[in-house]
Amino acid sequence: MAPDPNASSSGTVPSKDPKKKKDEKKEEDLSDEDLALKQQLELYVERVQDPDPGLQKVALESMRQEIRTSTSSMTSVPKPLKFLRPHYGTLKAYYETMQDSDLKKYLADILSVLALTMSAEGERESLKYRLLGSEGDIGSWGHEYVRNLAGEIAQEYAKRQSEEAPIDDLMELVQQIVAFHMKHNAEPEAVDLLMEVEDLDLLIEHVDSTNFKRTCLYLTSSARYLPGPDDMLVLDIAYMIYLKFEEYPNALQIALFLDNMQYVKQVFTSCDDLLRKKQFCYILARHGITFELDDEMAADDDDREALQEIINNSRLSEGYLTLARDIEVMEPKSPEDIYKAHLLDGRASAGASVDSARQNLAATFVNAFVNAGFGQDKLMTVPSDNTSGGSSSNWLFKNKEHGKTSAAASLSMILLWDVDAGLAQIDKYFHLSDSHIIAGALLGVGIVNCGIKNDCDPALALLGDYVDKDDSSIRIGAIMGLGISYAGSQNEQIRSKLAPILNEAKAPLDVIAFTAISLGLVYVGSCNEEVAQAIIFALMDRSESELGEPLTRLLPLGLGLLYLGKQESVEATAEVSKTFNEKIRKYCDMTLLSCAYAGTGNVLKVQNLLGHCSQHLDKGETHQGPAVLGIAMVAMAEELGLEMAIRSLEHLLQYGEQNIRQAVPLALALLCISNPKVNVMDTLSRLSHDTDSEVAMAAVISLGLIGAGTNNARIAGMLRNLSSYYYKDASLLFCVRIAQGLVHLGKGLLTLNPYHSERFLLSPTALAGLVTMLHACLDMKAIILGKYHYILYFLVLAMQPRMLLTVDENLKPLSVPVRVGQAVDVVGQAGRPKTITGFQTHSTPVLLAAGDRAELATEKYIPLSPILEGFVILKENPEYREEH
Amino acid sequence: MITVSVKWQKEMFKDVEIDTSQPPYVFKCQLYDLTGVPPERQKIMVKGGLLKDDADWSTLGVKEGQKLMMMGTADEIIKAPEKGPVFMEDLPEEEQVVALGHSAGLFNLGNTCYMNSTLQCLHSVPELKSALIKYSHSGKSNDVDQSSHMLAIATRDLFNELDKSVKPVAPMQFWMLLRKKYPQFGQLHNGVFMQQDAEECWTQLLYTLSQSLKTTGSSENPDTVKALFGIELVSRVHCQESGEESSEAESVYSLKCHISQEVNHLHEGLKHGLKSELEKASPSLGRSAIYLKESRIDGLPRYLTIQFVRFFWKRESNQKAKILRKVDYPLELDVYDLCSDDLRGKLEAPRQRLRDEEGKKLGLKASKDGSSSKDNDVKMSNAEGSSNGSGEPSMATSQEDSETQMTGIYDLVAVLTHKGRSADSGHYVGWVKQESGKWIEYDDDSPIAQREEDITKLSGGGDWHMAYICMYKARTIPM
């Protein structure tokens, strides 16, 4: 059928043509109204060039009037501007010929506005004429104009900076623009401009009670993407603004982020409400730093004691048990409840009649992790009254040699944070003669005191004497115990006890390695010179063969922990490390770099580390492991960088050598700790069947870490299947068991995430504990599967209840309804947007999953902290009235 | 005098007075009265240090109203048990095997999976093992050739090694001798040893063992292998044309399960296999005629071996091709209707007793809530295993003959499977039921635990492993 295609083609072509024509016509055929406007404007342009100043003035006024009244929208150019477009050149030319006068300024104003649409890119004519103009109210020309101007100022500023030209006139304009933006809900624009012109201090003058929250939110979240030291500056400003508006909890958080104790102190001294101070103490306690209050911060002795008690975390156990009782998970669980072997058919290991030491050890750990902090379990705390029953009644003796160390220490894990009950129960182990058990008891004293401070310093009192014993397992127990209980305290006494060990000529390598780690933990992020020196000398004293030992890796790590998150401060030490023996030099370099930039999100450092991973080594160097971990440590700071790091790690998996592939699962674990992202879960699940057993083991452990404390059913199922898949491989099965224990950490009430307070703050001790454990996992076979499995207990540093517990003014638990939902990013949004989505209403105490945020669902109370996490004090709302 | 408060466990003792003129031991005795913790067990923490018995109060700087912390156990102190538990890791290897629940795997020495799987299946026959243990160098008689003798010795040693090792065993010696005795297994193809037919290996090995073991034993037990595996058949040979009829008796080591279009189940295949047509010279007709041979079982072995005739010679491709047809086989096989009338009569009484007993068991079971049939099976085979094990192993066969009776019911104990399209290629695997009732798949060097229901899924009909040889163990009943 010939006509059809013709018809269709002829049908389409004309349909296009008329449109085009219409457009053209539009250009020409203006409506009467527009035509009139056009002619009017043309007339004004002519008049402006009239020699008569009076006429000129009228023309300019009218033109200005036309421009201002026209509705400006972003999508189309306002009509007056459009019609004036052809005359821009003429007006410009005329302007040059004019005498200096008010009228000339007037014209400059108009030219400045016209330049908004007509000036060529990069000419910055709008700004030029603005500066020449009458400097009238900037906002009267509309938002778009101000915005454009701000952009040009930024460019001009950069140019003038490079020419070292004066900027006073610009700054004046900036003042005006900032004031305008702040008044018109455009805080991000104001902040951006001020950041461009490097004068954020201006902001403080312009914030008021209506916009400071949004301003600060924008400041704090943009700080993550700024290069140092700008980010510190930005946070400083935010801190100042919060302080100005008496938003002390927020100010405190920024102070903690900056790790600036002076600021923390200032927060305490500026606030005089005891209840609010108590809330500050809860925030400090969650962050896990050691902080001593003085008279200035709390004048009254009793008050100070009460506050210090909160910082010392002495109530943590109580709060955690309140949560557990509320959720009804007090019933102790046995390892078998976790393994759920009945769900596996056939493949489950044959009901072995003989105990396997490896499996019993795994059960010990599982039991410790699962019942952590509950004070009761089915293996360690069962009353051993039927002593006639002999070995069967006491689980401790079902472990072999060094296994008993972990078993004894597991008791304190169950009694975690409950110092009184814990010490009382551990005491019995001190009376046994087995050195492994005593080592475990010593370690246990450290664990039970983890994060808790006490005036009597029980850990130091009990452990101090054992540090210098002859038996190296006892020494390690005491040293590790001190490191765990005094992590972050920078306690001088500990240093004087531990530092000499590093110089001991006869001390075995393992004692030295654990000493270095403990010192690193105690002085985490302190940049302490003396400790650094001690560890450096210890490293230099190692013989060539000792440097090849797996445990040696803890020495550089101990050194690195001293500089955790301290960025440039590490440089001097990094220089020194270049003089180390070749065997450890690079390893040390990587460890220091990754620790120093941990939690900063510094993209350059990530690239640097990736660069190290891209090399193919053939000399059996080991530094790529810490480099891979380092990528995760640096990139874990914020969500975007984290996603990118996950992708980069996938590439490393594909192209990397074996030593890199082993470290990748661990890095993924750190990135998603206690936050089981599905894509990472899938990757790890795939790797858990890797032909390389080291990779598989790391992946299995990592599965446990990403699911730590979540009770995630999918991971639990994967691990169960892995337990039947690897039922013959004792090493892998051990890893699977550990991972199962981790997934059910604290029966799902705990988290290992070092980030808290809506992912804003990074607890240094928690990160240090995690990193230590992960570094140990780089050589799984020699350390975790060898006789140093108790290194797993370093995880206790990162263990925190993932709860929201509201308390009343007397700090007694108070149940109120709260909405818990996925947190929404509201940075830079106008108005009061919803901060959570897909929420459910619960009554406190509640569990918070990764990425969850809570808000009060009642007006009856006012929370004293804007971030509802951990302990939050509620104050009755005086304005609240029951609705009836 | 200073008053302090002392915290012990969860208790707080307020206003404890310290007499600073007395040594701290006195203070500890005070606390003993309060808490019942003996002074030597008390650990009192004062500002980061422990209170020593002979310390000087003035140097300690204890202040009025200070809180002290005490640690100590008032009760009996736990003692380490005198005898620690024994751990699997500490056990010698052979005991670890027991704990493991199954014996070791065999390394593949280059296409020797046919041999490994055969050995694993035969290894599961305890009676054969004990007979081999009895076999010694000296027992060699003259009518057995040297290579057969050596092979029997090698088999014995290998079985021993399998029982004692946790790690996979390399059957080097055995393989060398097997090739020596049967050079066809040493065929090379492109420089590597060829894959062989497992059935051939099975038959040859059993033949050799029967030859070697025949001559050794005591007079009452002339042929152990025959007693264990031999099946007595009586056949009626009948010629339709001439109406001639004769009967013959023979002894075979395995029943053949023929696979044809109609065969869906092992039982049908066996029936099929017991009927055959043969052409032979008919004396009455004076020419060769078609004779119909119908065989029946006249004597049951302790271990019934069934071969699925899955391979046939395919002329066009010049190889042993495989029939993939699915033929189901049961975990419990009843051969009653394959038996001769004589034998049926003998079986009647024991079968009745077995039924009664099982009925009793089931009756009991039914009163509890219905546990799975798998449990039943396991229990029964356990009971049986123990009854077998309790008997003197060397005399096992002879004694049990007198003590127990055949019932014609058999339980599956081993399956040899083949995966692939022809007998000389693909992969052979042995699936063996352990004494514990668990099934283990012996895929060369790696033993893998399997579920019982998966064993029946090896019946073919796809490209998965399919049963080639099944070994059933007789269910007996004591007299």
Side-chain angles (χ1 to χ4, degrees), chain A residues 345 355 357 400 420 427 727, chain B residues 7 43 73 88 90 449 451:
Chain A
D345 27 29
D355 277 317
K400 194 180 147 190
D420 298 327
D427 183 60
Y727 78 109
Chain B
K7 200 173 188 193
K43 293 191 188 76
T73 317
M88 194 159 88
D90 299 337
R451 293 182 298 179

Side-chain angles (χ1 to χ4, degrees), chain A residues 304-324:
Chain A
R304 191 166 66 239
E305 205 172 305
L307 291 173
Q308 191 68 52
E309 193 175 297
I310 299 175
I311 299 183
N312 288 350
N313 250 333
S314 9
R315 296 284 189 80
L316 183 57
S317 173
E318 223 172 282
Y320 178 61
L321 290 176
T322 308
L323 171 76

